[in-house]
Amino acid sequence: MDTADAAPRAAAPARSTRRRVYASTMIGNVVEYYDFTLYGTLAAVLAKLFFPSGDGLVALFSTYVGVSLSYFIRPLGAVLLGPLADRRGRRGVLILTLSLMSVGTAGIGLLPTYAAIGAAAPVLLLLSRVLQGLGASVEYTTAAQFLLEHEPGSRRRNYLAGLMNATCSVGSLLGSGVAFVLTVVMPTATFDSWGWRIPFLLAIPMAFIGFYIRNRLDETPEFEQMKRQVDAVEAKQTPLRDAVRLYWRDMLKAIGLGAGQRIGSYTIQAYLVTALISAGFPTSLALLASMLTYAVGPLPSVWGGVLADRYGARLPLLVGYGLFMALTVPTFMAIGSSSIVLATLAVVVFTVLNNLVAAPLNVACVLSFPPEVRSSAAALNFNVGTSLIGSTAGLVAVWLHDLTGSDVSFGWYMTAACAVSALVAVFALPEAVDYREPDWASGNIGTAVVGESDHGRPAR
């Protein structure tokens, strides 16, 4: 793109502002993944507390319905909150998402159990999961926009996206770590009685920290520039309609590209612990293996971003998905073995591969769209893919395990999804689009100019 035609870019933020921006996006990711990992980690405990105890499989399956429900509600959250971020700003929506997630998580810690109020207990549990899902629906994509739009024209955007993904591992590590410590130091009867509530209630102080940081930040320069143009000509914004009308192909590409990683992320956050316990390993060792995966997760997240910035997105995507196809089935074979060392090594390798591809996926999800529709388009493609592909993984895994008696069949299911994503990476990799400033007066919005720079990096 001719630089003479390019819209003026805001200057890079000052170091103090950059630190606050980083902290504001990271605290939200920590809270989101703390919440979701905690629920998945304690799924076996919650199944006994909130559902009838007659059939353990049905209770566990019902608990995972709660996980899936929180994902199924996400497209609705994307439709409601994505356009709000495009019209009113990213910062206000980030405060709202943190509120919803925190209320949902703390609410679980305050709920009476099935033994106390009967059938109302699982209903209230699922309602809490709905609140978590609504909050999480646009938290990650809006936080990514907030970070990247504060660094306009940055040539390290994949690195920044990888850094964001790394904080997801921090939240998951914190959630599984708190659960592990409590299960070790508390007698089982005490933990099952009331100790399980503690990790959920810890979401309250974490939320207050997030509110403090986010309330001290300004809106992103790109959003403010776009909003000034809209206000100057009194144009009517219809970001959701325009995103679907103009960018549906890019959204479908992003969904296909992330299919394998969506299943992988869900498996790490909510199913690996259950799979290890079902294979006969003690709960404490299963939690310890899970914690190890989160501890090693940040490094490949950042490394994948660095590789994508230097050599283009296809390199980490094809390496990651290629190894996933080769190693996913052996991973679940190792989980079914009698060796905790082999099983732990397998899930650590699984996590490294999953995080390696995260950064370019996040950039494709968010920056493939111009600012006037970015929140709507990113939220929609991310949440449709997560809901339809990622959130159903636990239900498929439980069903396949009951059908075959092994998790290897689920490994083949994920291998097929990774093959689809690899094909998208080869033949239809979404290009992050640069854009010319929209002509609001004529209604010509969303006009994009796709450019490709050296090493396959989209030009900015």
Side-chain angles (χ1 to χ4, degrees):
M1 184 176 72
D2 189 345
T3 56
D5 293 330
R9 304 290 188 185
R15 181 174 299 179
S16 59
T17 301
R18 181 181 287 116
R19 285 198 297 264
R20 290 198 301 271
V21 169
Y22 289 0
S24 72
T25 55
M26 292 175 188
I27 188 64
N29 284 339
V30 170
V31 171
E32 177 183 352
Y33 283 85
Y34 175 87
D35 295 349
F36 277 82
T37 302
L38 190 62
Y39 186 91
T41 299
L42 297 180
V45 176
L46 296 175
K48 294 185 296 183
L49 293 170
F50 286 92
F51 295 92
S53 57
D55 190 325
L57 177 63
V58 172
L60 183 60
F61 190 85
S62 299
T63 305
Y64 277 110
V65 168
V67 177
S68 295
L69 180 61
S70 69
Y71 279 104
F72 288 147
I73 201 68
R74 287 186 175 204
L76 176 60
V79 169
L80 295 174
L81 300 180
L84 183 64
D86 282 326
R87 291 194 297 263
R88 299 295 179 87
R90 321 313 192 197
R91 189 181 75 93
V93 169
L94 286 175
I95 293 173
L96 177 59
T97 58
L98 186 60
S99 302
L100 291 171
M101 290 188 301
S102 302
V103 169
T105 304
I108 293 176
L110 297 172
L111 291 180
T113 63
Y114 186 88
I117 61 172
V123 173
L124 292 174
L125 178 66
L126 295 181
L127 287 176
S128 296
R129 294 295 294 168
V130 167
L131 283 178
Q132 286 181 323
L134 285 174
S137 63
V138 298
E139 165 64 34
Y140 190 82
T141 54
T142 308
Q145 295 166 62
F146 196 78
L147 175 62
L148 295 171
E149 288 180 2
H150 270 286
E151 301 253 357
S154 174
R155 296 182 64 84
R156 56 174 193 159
R157 56 186 175 179
N158 284 284
Y159 163 76
L160 294 174
L163 192 63
M164 272 200 63
N165 193 72
T167 63
C168 300
S169 295
V170 174
S172 295
L173 177 61
L174 185 60
S176 60
V178 169
F180 173 77
V181 170
L182 290 176
T183 57
V184 169
V185 302
M186 299 180 74
T188 302
T190 303
F191 183 81
D192 290 347
S193 176
W194 58 267
W196 64 271
R197 299 181 183 274
I198 296 174
F200 291 100
L201 295 176
L202 288 177
I204 297 175
M206 293 169 60
F208 279 118
I209 296 173
F211 292 142
Y212 175 77
I213 296 173
R214 288 184 173 180
N215 273 315
R216 299 179 64 209
L217 287 170
D218 296 324
E219 190 52 78
T220 73
E222 280 193 85
F223 175 83
E224 289 182 332
Q225 181 179 351
M226 179 268 292
K227 195 63 178 173
R228 284 193 297 269
Q229 293 174 318
V230 175
D231 293 340
V233 297
E234 299 181 350
K236 181 181 179 181
Q237 285 183 270
T238 55
L240 183 63
R241 185 194 69 181
D242 295 324
V244 174
R245 179 170 61 92
L246 298 173
Y247 296 102
W248 62 270
R249 291 183 182 85
D250 293 297
M251 287 193 282
L252 287 179
K253 289 178 183 179
I255 290 170
L257 188 67
Q261 202 260 358
R262 295 289 178 266
I263 296 175
S265 294
Y266 177 91
T267 302
I268 294 167
Q269 295 163 23
Y271 188 69
L272 283 181
V273 170
T274 300
L276 289 167
I277 294 173
S278 298
F281 296 110
T283 301
S284 58
L285 288 180
L287 287 174
L288 192 60
S290 176
M291 289 170 57
L292 185 57
T293 66
Y294 301 134
V296 303
L299 182 59
S301 294
V302 175
W303 186 40
V306 171
L307 289 177
D309 281 332
R310 182 171 298 177
Y311 300 109
R314 280 191 178 87
L315 177 64
L317 287 172
L318 292 180
V319 169
Y321 280 132
L323 291 175
F324 250 148
M325 288 187 285
L327 298 176
T328 295
V329 170
T331 293
F332 284 97
M333 293 176 65
I335 290 174
S337 71
S338 59
S339 170
I340 186 62
V341 175
L342 183 61
T344 301
L345 178 62
V347 298
V348 167
V349 172
F350 187 95
T351 302
V352 168
L353 298 179
N354 191 74
N355 288 11
L356 183 69
V357 301
L361 289 179
N362 296 340
V363 169
C365 170
V366 173
L367 290 187
S368 293
F369 314 97
E372 65 270 15
V373 299
R374 183 171 290 157
S375 290
S376 301
L380 196 59
N381 84 72
F382 182 82
N383 287 291
V384 168
T386 298
S387 299
L388 295 181
I389 301 170
S391 72
T392 57
L395 299 178
V396 172
V398 172
W399 174 67
L400 288 175
H401 186 277
D402 184 56
L403 188 67
T404 66
S406 169
D407 284 311
V408 173
S409 54
F410 177 69
W412 285 113
Y413 171 77
M414 181 173 167
T415 299
C418 289
V420 171
S421 296
L423 289 174
V424 175
V426 172
F427 297 109
L429 183 66
E431 295 171 292
V433 296
D434 205 348
Y435 68 96
R436 299 181 191 275
E437 292 300 328
D439 183 355
W440 294 101
S442 67
N444 181 28
I445 72 165
T447 303
V449 178
V450 179
E452 190 76 11
S453 71
D454 56 325
H455 301 305
R457 292 194 299 271
R460 293 296 289 172

